[in-house]
């Protein structure tokens, strides 16, 4: 399964790539309690929800190294948001890879 995210500001590529890496060793990959396929577990809505709730933390820890005062940059939390329309799955990822996305598209393939 391929999961991709388009975020229109290429300055946040590290944050997006770090978020996608979380899926590689996710317990979703190891536990299938409800006999769900990866497509059923990794929906666009779930991926957007998880990104929106973790992106600011990933940005501060993985990308900016706490260079900025967290209190001053409260707008980062509002800025690092995606919608389900920014999430691409499987064949949609392949189509996006054929476009020039100005380094704003990142993806991961999980098995």
């Amino acid at each position: 399964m391929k999961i991709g995210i388009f975020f229109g500001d290429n300055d946040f590529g590290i944050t997006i790539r770090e978020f996608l890496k979380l899926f590689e060793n996710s317990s979703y990959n190891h536990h299938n309690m409800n006999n769900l396929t990866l497509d059923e577990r990794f929906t666009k809505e779930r991926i957007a929800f998880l990104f929106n709730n973790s992106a600011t933390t990933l940005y501060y820890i993985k990308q900016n190294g706490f260079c900025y005062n967290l209190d001053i940059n409260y707008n980062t939390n509002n800025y690092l948001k995606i919608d389900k329309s920014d999430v691409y799955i499987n064949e949609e990822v392949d189509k996006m890879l054929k476009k020039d996305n100005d380094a704003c598209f990142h993806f991961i393939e999980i098995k």
Side-chain angles (χ1 to χ4, degrees):
M1 174 178 203
K2 294 178 187 172
I3 300 171
I5 294 177
F6 181 85
F7 188 77
D9 186 340
N10 63 14
D11 288 339
F12 293 90
I14 293 171
T15 298
I16 295 165
R17 287 191 301 275
E18 290 297 327
F19 171 75
L20 290 169
K21 286 179 187 178
L22 295 172
F23 290 94
E24 285 181 314
N25 296 312
S26 165
S27 63
Y28 285 114
N29 295 337
H30 306 293
H31 302 290
N32 194 359
M33 298 168 68
N34 297 321
N35 294 320
L36 300 175
T37 67
L38 285 178
D39 290 339
E40 292 169 325
R41 288 183 268 166
F42 294 121
T43 65
K44 291 181 177 192
E45 292 83 2
R46 283 184 178 174
I47 293 166
F49 173 82
L50 292 171
F51 180 84
N52 292 339
N53 285 284
S54 63
T56 302
T57 300
L58 289 170
Y59 170 71
Y60 283 113
I61 293 173
K62 293 291 195 170
Q63 184 163 339
N64 92 356
F66 296 97
C67 294
Y68 304 107
N69 183 334
L70 296 176
D71 296 331
I72 293 172
N73 289 298
Y74 67 92
N75 287 326
T76 304
N77 190 47
N78 294 323
Y79 185 69
L80 285 171
K81 299 289 184 199
I82 62 171
D83 188 73
K84 68 179 184 178
S85 64
D86 300 313
V87 178
Y88 296 80
I89 305 287
N90 295 326
E91 294 82 19
E92 297 171 333
V93 171
D94 297 332
K95 289 178 186 175
M96 286 297 287
L97 290 173
K98 294 178 182 177
K99 296 181 180 181
D100 178 12
N101 291 299
D102 192 30
C104 293
F105 183 73
H106 305 276
F107 82 100
I108 193 164
E109 186 167 5
I110 57 173
K111 298 179 183 192

